[in-house]
Amino acid sequence: MRLTVETETLRLAEPFRISGYVFETADVLVATLEDGTHRGRGEASGVYYLGDDLAHMRAAIEAARTEIEAGVSREDLRDIMPPGGARNAVDAALWELEAARAGKPVWALAGLPEPLPIVTTFTIGADTPEAMSAKAVSYAGARSIKVKLTGELALDIARVAAIRAARPDVWLGVDGNQGFARGDLETLTAALAEHSVALLEQPLPRGAEAELEGFNSPIPIAGDESLVSLADVAGAKGRFDVVNIKLDKCGGLTEGLLMAAAARELGLGVMVGTMVGTSLATAPGFVLGQVADLVDLDGPTFLAQDRAPSVIYADGTLFSGPEVWGSGAA
C-alpha cells in the first residue's frame, strides 16, 4: 500500500464572513491510497476552531503512516487516529479503495439504497441586511437557505427579517457559530420563530452546552461545534434537538454513520454539514446525507473553481454521481 499526501489552497469566489472570522481561501489536504491496482482518495479541510490546520493534519497522518500502509481497516483507523480532518481524508480514501476492490459503489458497501438527489441548504455569509436579502434572491433555485449570524442581536434579527421578506418561499435556518450569550436566547428565538425560521444552529460557545438545559426553545436547536465526534452524541440529549455531523470534525464517513445511528437512538434529528471544500470532499457527505433529515453540503459553491468531475447542484438539490468519488470502478 502506498499513501501520498498533497495540499492545496482553494480560492473562494468572494470573502465569506461568519461570527469572528472572514475567509478568502481554504486549505485542503488530499490523501491517496494505491495498492498497485486500485486507488482511493479523500479530501479534508480540517476544523479551524480546533486548530486542525494543514500542519496538524499532515502530522497526524505521518504519525499513522506505517499502520495505514500496512493495510489498516476503516474500523481500526478509528483506533489509531483521532477525530479530525486527517482521519477524514484517509477514511474517505479507504472507502473508495474498498469500493474499487469489491467492484461495488460506496453506498452499497454502507448498506444504503442507491442514492437520490437531496435538498441542500445554500448559505449566506454575514453582511448587511440589504446585501444578504439580495443574496437570497440570487439563489433563485434554492429551496433551503442557511444564514450566518454574528451574535449582534438586533442586527442579526434585522438580517433574518430582510431575508425572510425577500424569500418567503424557502426553508430558513440560521447558524450562530457560537456568537451568542445565554441571555440573548429568549429574544433571539422568539424573533426567529416570528420569521418562520426552522432551525437555530450552535448559538452558544463550545463548552457552554449545559446552559441550554431547561431552555424551552420555540424552534429546534442544532449542535455543531459542541458535537465533534461519536463520544459527544450522548451528551446532546436535553441540550440539542439536532446533531450536525461534519466529516472533518468526526473523522470520516465511518464515524459519521455511527453518529447518525446514535442520534436516532436518542430521538435526535440528523444533519450533515461540511467545511469549505471541493466536490471530492462533498461526495462522502452526500452518502451520509441519504440518511439525514437536513443537508448542508454547499461547500463547492463558495469556490472560484471546483474539481472536475463535480457534484451537481440543480433545483435546490445536490447529486454526486459515481464519477466523482466511490464508484466501485478499479
Side-chain angles (χ1 to χ4, degrees):
M1 187 79 71
R2 179 170 177 262
L3 167 66
T4 57
V5 178
E6 300 173 302
T7 58
E8 303 173 32
T9 296
L10 309 175
R11 182 154 297 280
L12 275 59
E14 57 186 41
F16 183 73
R17 183 185 177 209
I18 64 173
S19 178
Y21 294 89
V22 178
F23 300 94
E24 295 184 355
T25 60
D27 294 327
V28 300
L29 177 148
V30 177
T32 303
L33 285 169
E34 297 173 283
D35 64 6
T37 303
H38 307 98
R39 180 189 70 161
R41 304 157 298 145
E43 178 188 304
S45 299
V47 186
Y48 65 91
Y49 53 85
L50 297 178
D52 191 25
D53 56 13
L54 287 183
H56 185 272
M57 288 191 287
R58 270 192 173 277
I61 287 179
E62 292 306 322
R65 176 181 287 276
T66 299
E67 291 169 281
I68 293 169
E69 292 189 328
V72 70
S73 69
R74 289 182 288 102
E75 292 73 20
D76 289 340
L77 187 70
R78 295 180 61 239
D79 294 326
I80 68 171
M81 294 186 74
R87 195 175 80 192
N88 178 30
V90 177
D91 180 77
L94 285 171
W95 272 105
E96 188 173 52
L97 180 67
E98 184 179 341
R101 286 171 167 174
K104 295 181 179 179
V106 165
W107 56 263
L109 292 180
L112 300 176
E114 186 169 358
L116 299 171
I118 46 179
V119 174
T120 182
T121 63
F122 292 86
T123 306
I124 299 176
D127 205 325
T128 65
E130 296 77 16
M132 293 173 77
S133 64
K135 189 71 171 179
V137 171
S138 75
Y139 287 149
R143 306 183 202 178
S144 178
I145 287 176
K146 189 172 88 169
V147 181
K148 293 289 189 178
L149 305 181
T150 60
E152 302 163 281
L153 187 58
L155 177 57
D156 283 334
I157 291 171
R159 287 162 164 158
V160 171
I163 291 167
R164 176 51 83 196
R167 291 300 304 271
D169 56 312
V170 297
W171 180 97
L172 190 60
V174 301
D175 187 355
N177 276 118
Q178 311 181 75
F180 294 93
R182 173 61 181 83
D184 296 327
L185 292 187
E186 282 81 1
T187 300
L188 175 65
T189 56
L192 297 179
E194 180 182 347
H195 294 297
S196 301
V197 173
L199 185 74
L200 168 59
E201 187 179 341
Q202 194 67 41
L204 303 184
R206 175 176 166 80
E209 298 81 18
E211 296 182 31
L212 291 170
E213 293 177 11
F215 175 59
N216 186 22
S217 175
I219 64 172
I221 297 178
D224 180 5
E225 288 90 342
S226 291
L227 307 176
V228 172
S229 64
L230 180 61
D232 298 319
V233 174
K237 186 72 172 178
R239 298 173 175 181
F240 298 105
D241 306 291
V242 177
V243 175
N244 187 355
I245 303 168
K246 291 180 178 175
L247 303 189
D248 270 316
K249 289 190 305 181
C250 73
L253 178 59
T254 302
E255 180 131 343
L257 290 166
L258 294 173
M259 290 182 70
R264 295 287 187 214
E265 289 180 5
L266 292 172
L268 301 173
V270 174
M271 178 178 182
V272 56
T274 186
M275 311 304 284
V276 174
T278 74
S279 287
L280 181 59
T282 304
F286 172 76
V287 175
L288 181 59
Q290 300 298 310
V291 299
D293 304 299
L294 299 168
V295 175
D296 177 27
L297 293 176
D298 59 344
T301 67
F302 295 103
L303 300 177
Q305 184 175 350
D306 192 8
R307 299 188 195 278
S310 63
V311 299
I312 297 170
Y313 294 97
D315 299 322
T317 69
L318 162 69
F319 183 74
S320 180
E323 70 280 359
V324 178
W325 175 83
S327 68

